[in-house]
């Protein structure tokens, strides 16, 4: 198991953190996805870009043109075909030799099922002469092995947003030792989907490291035997060649150490800087280091750690199975996934942020990227204090709705929770919420109706 980054000397003072309310069935929203249910896929015929096509209806294929249908070996698959425009069509799955009946006339439909016994990729298409050539074809991908096995093997790579070391407290500068292990592993990206992540210490983002200005930070980078790639680390908090990347280019089975002086306070990104750097970053190799100013940051009740990144997969968003990195999409900046803390639903169903009404909270927020600027916003809240660009030596700006955070940059937002409810973390470029980018801040306590209530002002608050 990887070792977390640990400041070597001095127990850090714990923040005043009341116990977090427990997750309950009532406040954990229903995932709405059950992959043990019968697998039903609905395709509707239509025209797109001047071609005849099948269009996915509902579920993970909704709205996709000629969607790839990914299932696991041994699963029962039901296919529904709906006639969307009135010409005559059918649906045939090659090599399985199963087909729908012809659907003639708009809204006519047909259903068939088959057992996915053979792994591999099989074309589906319309057998009406000329229709396949006109665009009516797609793929059924049958992944070898069971879905349960594929999923149980996939690690949870999500960094819990509550995984934040406490404030430094009053102490003199010292040497802080940090160990970063570059772990490559198959991780759970989404329900039924996995990805080969590259990480610092097995989670995305890497550990939040916390030091004070004037500390000497000694970073040991270990690349385990069995890794495929070389890795390194560039600290934006460091001054010197490559931010430490020159000293830490590390082959599998080797380790290197770099030591730097934390000369400037702030909240800084670190990331792998081994070419192709964008590839190492997208795969999960980013994290942050907080360099506290003399005297620390203002005290709050709870602190959280959230980072945003993108994933560029060959398969379109929502596909099941093992996803593969697409280098062409990466260098042309066409991501399939936008993620908080490394995975779809990482901060909603899996590791939401919990707090109580009346508390003040802080979010250390950063963008690993590699490419997209975030317009960070919490729906239903206003940031009381924002340390823009992670600058903790400038006075915070106050009462902010949305804050811009560039790749390789950060922000710190502090706010008081005046009312209970579920508040949603987003990038306000909201198309990205449809590609995985959302988190919940679940606040327990009184729903203070004086602050907001349904209905008119004269109906008055109920409490
Ligand atoms: Cu790397
Ligand atoms: Cu950088």
């Amino acid at each position: 198991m990887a070792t977390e980054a640990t400041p070597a000397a001095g127990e850090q003072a714990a923040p005043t953190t009341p116990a977090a309310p427990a997750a309950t069935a009532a406040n954990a929203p229903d995932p709405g996805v059950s992959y043990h249910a019968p697998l039903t896929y609905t395709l509707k015929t239509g025209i797109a870009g001047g071609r005849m096509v099948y269009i996915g209806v509902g579920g993970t294929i909704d709205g996709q043109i000629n969607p790839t249908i990914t299932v696991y070996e041994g699963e029962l698959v039901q296919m529904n075909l709906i006639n969307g425009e009135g010409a005559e069509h059918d649906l045939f799955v090659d090599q399985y030799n199963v087909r729908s009946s012809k659907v003639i006339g708009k809204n006519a439909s047909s259903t068939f099922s088959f057992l996915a016994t053979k792994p591999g990729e099989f074309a589906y298409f319309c057998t009406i002469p000329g229709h396949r050539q006109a665009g009516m074809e797609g793929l059924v991908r049958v992944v070898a092995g069971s879905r349960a096995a594929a999923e149980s093997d996939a690690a949870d790579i999500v960094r819990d947003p509550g995984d934040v070391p406490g404030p430094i407290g009053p102490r003199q500068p010292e040497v802080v030792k940090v160990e970063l292990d570059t772990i490559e592993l198959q991780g759970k990206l989404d329900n039924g989907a996995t990805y080969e992540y590259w990480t610092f210490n097995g989670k995305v983002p890497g550990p939040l490291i916390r030091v004070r200005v004037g500390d000497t930070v000694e970073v040991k980078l270990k690349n385990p035997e069995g890794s495929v790639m070389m890795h390194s680390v560039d600290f934006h908090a460091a001054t010197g060649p490559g931010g430490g990347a020159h000293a830490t280019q590390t082959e599998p089975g080797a380790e290197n150490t770099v030591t730097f002086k934390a000369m400037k306070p702030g909240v800084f990104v670190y990331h792998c800087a081994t070419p192709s750097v964008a590839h190492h970053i997208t795969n999960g190799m980013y994290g942050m280091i907080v360099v506290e100013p003399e005297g620390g940051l203002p005290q709050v009740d709870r602190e959280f750690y959230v980072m945003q990144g993108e994933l560029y997969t060959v398969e379109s968003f929502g596909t099941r199975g093992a996803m593969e990195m697409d280098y062409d999409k990466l260098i042309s900046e066409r991501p399939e996934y936008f993620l908080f803390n490394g995975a779809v639903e990482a901060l909603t169903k899996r590791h939401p942020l919990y707090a109580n009404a009346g508390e003040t909270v802080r979010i250390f927020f950063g963008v690993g990227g590699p490419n997209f600027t975030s317009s960070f916003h919490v729906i239903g809240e206003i940031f009381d204090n924002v340390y823009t660009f992670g600058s903790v030596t400038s006075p915070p700006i106050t009462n902010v709705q949305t804050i811009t955070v560039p790749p390789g940059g950060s922000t710190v937002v502090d706010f008081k929770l005046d009312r209970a409810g579920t508040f949603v973390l987003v990038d306000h470029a909201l198309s990205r919420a449809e590609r995985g980018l959302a988190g919940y801040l679940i606040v327990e306590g009184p729903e203070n109706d004086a602050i907001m209530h349904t209905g008119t002002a004269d109906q008055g608050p109920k409490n």
Side-chain angles (χ1 to χ4, degrees), residues 31 33-35 60 147 151 188-193 318-321 344-345 349-350:
V33 177
S34 169
Y35 36 86
T60 55
R147 185 183 295 272
E151 282 168 3
K188 183 176 170 182
L189 168 60
D190 195 357
N191 285 323
T319 307
R320 289 170 175 175
V344 177
E345 300 184 344
K349 317 293 162 46
R350 291 160 67 179

Side-chain angles (χ1 to χ4, degrees), residues 112-441:
F112 65 98
S113 302
F114 65 98
L115 204 53
T117 48
K118 292 174 285 204
E121 293 194 340
F122 308 94
Y124 67 78
F125 53 88
C126 181
T127 68
I128 308 296
H131 286 199
R132 183 180 188 181
Q133 293 72 18
M136 299 187 76
E137 68 174 339
L139 271 186
V140 173
R141 178 183 297 140
V142 180
V143 181
S146 75
R147 185 183 295 272
E151 282 168 3
S152 63
D153 286 351
D156 180 4
I157 54 77
V158 174
R159 169 78 51 191
D160 190 306
D163 193 357
V164 176
I168 296 297
R171 68 154 172 80
Q172 292 306 303
E174 59 189 32
V175 176
V176 177
K177 294 188 184 194
V178 173
E179 184 176 319
L180 294 175
D181 294 0
T182 57
I183 312 280
E184 302 169 358
L185 80 176
Q186 193 73 20
K188 183 176 170 182
L189 168 60
D190 195 357
N191 285 323
T194 61
Y195 186 77
E196 179 73 21
Y197 290 88
W198 300 343
T199 68
F200 292 109
N201 296 4
K203 301 279 181 193
V204 181
L208 186 71
I209 299 163
R210 196 161 190 165
V211 302
R212 59 150 288 170
V213 66
D215 278 352
T216 299
V217 186
E218 182 189 298
V219 183
K220 186 198 280 182
L221 188 85
K222 281 172 83 168
N223 191 353
E225 200 94 49
S227 285
V228 174
M229 306 301 295
M230 198 167 171
H231 298 291
S232 60
V233 64
D234 165 354
F235 278 90
H236 291 184
T239 305
H246 292 203
T248 56
Q249 295 295 336
T250 306
E251 301 276 1
E255 62 180 63
N256 281 298
T257 300
V258 67
T259 300
F260 69 89
K261 189 117 177 158
M263 296 170 72
K264 307 281 188 190
V267 177
F268 298 97
V269 168
Y270 64 84
H271 59 88
C272 182
T274 300
S276 156
V277 179
H279 185 184
H280 286 251
I281 291 176
T282 187
N283 276 12
M285 301 195 79
Y286 49 84
M288 293 206 291
I289 177 170
V290 178
V291 182
E292 291 192 2
E294 184 97 49
L297 297 168
Q299 202 170 1
V300 292
D301 295 313
R302 239 173 246 286
E303 293 180 324
F304 299 103
Y305 174 35
V306 177
M307 287 190 80
Q308 178 169 330
E310 314 105 41
L311 227 53
Y312 301 79
T313 55
V314 173
E315 300 79 3
S316 53
F317 175 82
T319 307
R320 289 170 175 175
M323 305 293 106
E324 265 187 274
M325 214 283 297
D326 187 315
Y327 193 74
D328 185 56
K329 285 183 185 173
L330 174 66
I331 59 172
S332 53
E333 303 187 22
R334 289 181 288 123
E336 290 293 337
Y337 291 81
F338 286 90
L339 305 165
F340 288 139
N341 290 16
V344 177
E345 300 184 344
L347 304 187
T348 54
K349 317 293 162 46
R350 291 160 67 179
H351 301 273
L353 290 64
Y354 289 109
N356 298 304
E359 292 177 340
T360 48
V361 298
R362 167 175 298 145
I363 303 174
F364 295 109
F365 181 86
V367 177
N371 297 317
F372 283 75
T373 294
S374 179
S375 302
F376 183 56
H377 174 75
V378 176
I379 297 173
E381 265 296 350
I382 297 157
F383 302 137
D384 299 336
N385 289 299
V386 176
Y387 298 86
T388 328
F389 302 120
S391 167
V392 299
T393 43
S394 311
I397 55 171
T398 57
N399 301 330
V400 179
Q401 59 192 311
T402 300
I403 190 77
T404 190
V405 187
S410 73
T411 194
V412 182
V413 297
D414 291 1
F415 52 108
K416 179 149 196 267
L417 302 169
D418 294 306
R419 193 186 187 285
T422 296
F423 300 87
V424 186
L425 280 64
V426 293
D427 175 336
H428 215 288
L430 281 166
S431 297
R432 300 173 190 174
E434 309 298 329
R435 290 181 176 271
L437 200 52
Y440 294 150
L441 168 60

